[in-house]
Structures are given as C-alpha cells and as structure tokens.
Amino acid sequence: MAQTRRRGAELEEAILRAAAGELAESGYPGVTMDRVAQRAGTNKNAIYRRWPNRAALGIAAYQLLVKDNTRVPDTGELRGDVLATLRHANEQLSSPNGDILRGLLASMQEEPELLAALHERMADGGAELWLTILRRAVGRGEVAETALRPRIATVAIVLLRNEYVTRGITSVSDEVIVEIVDDVYLPLVRAS
Amino acid sequence: MAQTRRRGAELEEAILRAAAGELAESGYPGVTMDRVAQRAGTNKNAIYRRWPNRAALGIAAYQLLVKDNTRVPDTGELRGDVLATLRHANEQLSSPNGDILRGLLASMQEEPELLAALHERMADGGAELWLTILRRAVGRGEVAETALRPRIATVAIVLLRNEYVTRGITSVSDEVIVEIVDDVYLPLVRAS
DNA sequence: TACCTAAGGTACTGTGTGTACCTTATTTGT
DNA sequence: ACAAATAAGGTACACACAGTACCTTAGGTA
C-alpha cells in the first residue's frame, strides 16, 4: 500500500530509526532482525544488504542514540568541569543505555573493528574531551603540563564506566562520582 | 552402558567440568546446554535441576576456571608487587578468558545477584588483595595511610580490565601495564 | 520387597540468525 | 519511450539454542 517504494538512504534511515527505537525500549536483546524489519515496515533482506549481522546494526543504532553528547563544560575550575562531565556521562550511561552498552560489548567478541568503532563513540570516553579540560586547567595553573596524557586524562570516565560494566547497576550515585573526583582524579592529575 | 548411574555431587562435578571445558575452548558462546549435556554424558534436565539457566552455569564454570588465582606477591617494594599482580591478572584475562569475562558480563543484565557473585570472584579484582599490598607499603613507609581506600587501591586493576572490556583485545602489552603503574597508580597512591 | 528420589531419554514449543529464491517496483541508459 | 539493470518486497527455509513436559529407569532406603 506504500505509494512509492522506499529506496537507498531513505530506507536505510527508516531501518536505523527502528533499530534505535528497539534499543531504547528493549535494550540490545530487543534488536532482533525480525523486530527491526517489522518496525521499519520492510524485511530482513533489506537489512542484511546493509549490515552484515546483528552486531553491526546494533552499533549503528547505538551511535544514533548517543550522538550529540560531546559538549565540553566550562565552569572555570577543573573540579567543576570534571564533575559536570561525569554527571553528564552518568545520565548517558544510565539505564537502559548501560544495558545496551554491556550487551554490545559482549557481542563484539569476534569483530574487533566494530568494537573499535564503538569505542570511539562511547559516551564521553574520547580522550580528546578530557585533554581539552585538562589543557584549560593547565592554562589556569591548576595542574602541571605533565598530566596531559590520555591514560591519565581518562581515568575518571574509566572508573565510572567500570561501575556500570562490572556491577551491572543502572545508575551510579552522585556520592560515587564525587569520590572518584576527589579521592582519585584530582589527586592524580595534581600529582602528575 | 554406564555401569553405575552417576548421582549427586559426582554428576554435578562432571557437568561443571564439561562446562568449564567448553568455556576454555569456545568461550561463553560455546557453553550451550546441549553441548554441556552431551560433553558431560548426561542431558539437559540434570543441568536445569542444578542451575536455573545458562548464565548461572556459566558463572559456576568460570569460577572453576579462575580458581586459585589470588596469591599476594611480595617483592619487597610496592612497584614490584603491583607489576606482578597486574601481569598475573593479564595472563588470567588473556584470551580466551577475556572473551569469557565479557560474554558473562553481558549476559547478566537481568540477574544482578549473579553478577555480584561474578564480581567477587573476578580475577584479582577483589579490593582485599590490593589493600593488603598497600598495607605492606604503608608499613615500609612507601605510601601514606590515607591511600588505604578500596576506590584508590583497585585503580590499577580497573584500568587493566578496562583495556579488555572496552577494546576487545586478547592481551595487553607489558608497556601498557608499566604505563598504568608508573603514570597513574604510583603517583596516585603516593599523593593520597 | 516396596517406595522414593533422581537420572536418562525424547520430544516439543518458541525464538532467533542468516540464507535462498523468486517477484515486483523504480531508476538509468540508450 | 523502452529495455536493462538495480534494489526492494515476500516467503520459505535450515539451523541452533533456551527452556519445558513427560515418561521411563536405576539405585538407594525403609
């Protein structure tokens, strides 16, 4: 009954929107090829012509979901910037996004290149954001230039993500975030 | 043709050994109820009478695999202890154990209590081990007593595990381990 | 000896992945 | 304007796996 048959980019977007919808509503387990196809008003063939398997579709949908999440806060002091970024990431990782992330991580065992793509887009996990925050702190004289290393800069978000991935919780309390900042991150960057 | 039918603990051990074998050879995806049952020379009913679902069986098998892995090294200095522990954990987490861990983590989305059990046994992830190492360093005067907090003590292993979980790699290079120790962990505990 | 418990065996439902094959609509080149 | 190429729709399928039902059979126990 469709007046005109959708093609190319139009159909691709419809599929992606359907997959992202399932992801948001039912988590990664809900992203089945049958469900996505039905929701997009198409069939599995159209999906398999674009993504080689369920995992690839899941990553693409996840990227659509968490897009536009990399703003760099500027509160005027390092502690405020770090807290704001962690809290923002905490919202992004909260249920169901945490489940989604965990589900995706596990499904990528055989596709390292897909996992790398996922890692790049992982919510606020990019080192560049953290280096930017630290660079401004260096400019204000809050920390020494030797702290400007990716491994050091991303410690806070790694610890936060660790809470999600290994504890399976749906949301990290603000106390934990403050603890990460005051007990670990700030002492570390000031000592480096 | 079995002379005597196995029962109770004997059968349970046979099932667990079969599951651990599949885990070691094929990772978590290989731990299917059918395969484990066949390998153990029994049937799915016997498994379901003991574990409520595949995830529970997977955790039990994982615990069998990584058992006896918590020795506390004593090299006489903090840096040596930390490096030894991380290198040991790196071996434990190396393929296929890393895949196994990731697979288990993802499957636990609905069973928080199982995930908690897994977390307890996670290779060298227990805070107690790290606190012991730090306590000895405090005794030697290497670090201040204020560093004796779980969040601080476990930072090194969390960073190492992060490499596995988010990057999907099969083994972390020794350079990364040294970087974690010298650039992050030692500065952190000495500053605390 | 009879009973009870637990193991073995088999079959089944339901769901999901991925593929095959054919039909039909739409675009593009001539 | 028409034909050929391209891509979508539709259906059916093979295969694997989780979990359940139901019955049969072995082996301790009273």
Side-chain angles (χ1 to χ4, degrees):
Chain A
M1 296 305 184
Q3 321 293 37
T4 71
R5 192 178 268 190
R6 291 168 302 179
R7 293 198 149 220
E10 185 189 357
L11 181 56
E12 183 159 335
E13 277 170 32
I15 294 172
L16 264 186
R17 265 197 305 274
E22 291 293 339
L23 206 46
E25 289 171 18
S26 315
Y28 186 60
V31 185
T32 71
M33 300 311 231
D34 284 324
R35 285 172 69 100
V36 172
Q38 191 183 356
R39 181 166 181 154
T42 180
N43 57 29
K44 289 197 289 181
N45 290 333
I47 305 179
Y48 277 106
R49 284 182 197 119
R50 293 173 167 78
W51 294 274
N53 49 48
R54 174 169 174 261
L57 175 63
I59 287 189
Y62 180 74
Q63 293 182 354
L64 193 72
L65 264 193
V66 302
K67 201 163 49 179
D68 305 326
N69 284 330
T70 37
R71 27 151 245 215
V72 183
D74 195 351
T75 66
E77 60 153 9
L78 175 59
R79 185 171 185 274
D81 287 355
V82 175
L83 276 176
T85 307
L86 286 187
R87 282 172 179 146
H88 179 243
N90 191 30
E91 287 164 24
Q92 283 299 319
L93 287 170
S94 287
S95 191
N97 282 20
D99 288 348
I100 293 169
L101 179 58
R102 236 175 305 133
L104 285 177
L105 281 174
S107 307
M108 304 309 147
Q109 298 185 197
E110 292 90 12
E111 280 110 337
E113 79 285 358
L114 295 185
L115 202 147
L118 172 62
H119 187 256
E120 284 304 310
R121 308 296 180 99
M122 208 176 288
D124 291 342
E128 206 41 57
L129 168 65
W130 291 95
L131 286 173
T132 300
I133 291 174
L134 280 187
R135 250 182 246 116
R136 285 203 304 243
V138 170
R140 288 187 300 260
E142 285 194 75
V143 302
E145 219 170 330
T146 47
L148 294 178
R149 297 154 175 249
R151 177 92 46 202
I152 295 173
T154 55
V155 160
I157 187 69
V158 169
L159 292 189
L160 177 63
R161 201 187 300 132
N162 177 65
E163 293 292 311
Y164 281 98
V165 173
T166 69
R167 305 195 101 92
I169 54 187
T170 56
S171 182
V172 169
S173 75
D174 207 64
E175 285 79 42
V176 170
I177 291 179
V178 171
E179 192 182 323
I180 289 174
V181 172
D182 289 336
D183 289 358
V184 178
Y185 195 65
L186 293 184
L188 172 63
V189 296
R190 283 172 184 151
S192 298
Chain B
M1 299 306 178
Q3 318 293 37
T4 73
R5 194 177 268 187
R6 291 167 302 180
R7 291 197 152 221
E10 185 189 355
L11 180 57
E12 183 159 336
E13 279 169 31
I15 295 172
L16 264 187
R17 265 197 305 274
E22 291 292 339
L23 206 46
E25 289 171 19
S26 315
Y28 187 60
V31 184
T32 71
M33 299 312 230
D34 284 325
R35 285 170 69 98
V36 172
Q38 191 184 355
R39 181 166 181 153
T42 180
N43 57 30
K44 288 197 289 183
N45 290 333
I47 305 179
Y48 276 106
R49 284 184 197 114
R50 292 172 167 79
W51 293 273
N53 51 47
R54 173 171 175 261
L57 176 62
I59 287 189
Y62 180 73
Q63 292 181 354
L64 194 72
L65 264 193
V66 302
K67 200 164 50 179
D68 306 326
N69 285 330
T70 37
R71 28 151 244 216
V72 184
D74 194 351
T75 66
E77 59 152 12
L78 176 59
R79 186 172 185 272
D81 287 355
V82 175
L83 277 176
T85 307
L86 285 187
R87 283 173 179 147
H88 180 242
N90 191 30
E91 287 164 24
Q92 283 299 318
L93 288 170
S94 287
S95 190
N97 282 21
D99 289 348
I100 293 170
L101 179 58
R102 237 175 304 133
L104 285 175
L105 282 173
S107 307
M108 304 308 147
Q109 298 183 197
E110 293 90 12
E111 280 110 334
E113 80 285 357
L114 295 185
L115 201 146
L118 172 62
H119 188 255
E120 285 302 311
R121 308 297 180 98
M122 207 176 287
D124 292 341
E128 207 39 59
L129 167 65
W130 291 94
L131 286 173
T132 300
I133 291 174
L134 280 186
R135 250 182 245 115
R136 286 204 303 242
V138 170
R140 289 188 299 259
E142 285 193 75
V143 302
E145 221 168 331
T146 47
L148 294 178
R149 299 155 172 245
R151 177 92 47 203
I152 295 173
T154 55
V155 160
I157 188 68
V158 168
L159 292 191
L160 177 63
R161 202 187 298 131
N162 176 65
E163 293 291 312
Y164 281 97
V165 172
T166 68
R167 304 195 102 94
I169 54 186
T170 56
S171 182
V172 169
S173 75
D174 205 66
E175 285 77 43
V176 171
I177 292 180
V178 171
E179 192 182 324
I180 289 174
V181 173
D182 289 336
D183 289 359
V184 178
Y185 196 65
L186 293 184
L188 171 63
V189 296
R190 283 173 184 150
S192 298

